[in-house]
Amino acid sequence: MDWIAIDLVVIGGLNWGLVGISQDFNLVALIFGYSIIARIEYLLVGLSAFYMIDFANKKH
């Protein structure tokens, strides 16, 4: 579960980096269009970010 969340957060970060650099290049939208699949991807990235907050606060 941890690796899935890490992967999704990295994908989201890279996508936002591309949007920041080019202002209109959204890799998720390019791959999936503006569809329900893209919205699910955005939702999963957001949920993964919350999971990473919990993961980062765990005592090892």
Side-chain angles (χ1 to χ4, degrees):
M1 181 75 164
D2 295 341
W3 284 108
I4 293 170
I6 291 168
D7 289 344
L8 286 169
V9 169
V10 168
I11 289 168
L14 292 173
N15 190 54
W16 277 112
L18 290 170
V19 170
I21 290 170
S22 69
Q23 295 180 350
D24 63 349
F25 185 76
N26 184 335
L27 187 60
V28 173
L30 182 67
I31 294 171
F32 298 114
Y34 291 99
S35 66
I36 189 69
I37 296 171
R39 291 190 64 177
I40 291 169
E41 175 68 22
Y42 294 133
L43 178 63
L44 290 174
V45 168
L47 291 173
S48 294
F50 282 114
Y51 182 83
M52 287 288 94
I53 292 169
D54 182 57
F55 179 78
N57 289 320
K58 286 183 182 175
K59 303 284 186 210
H60 293 283

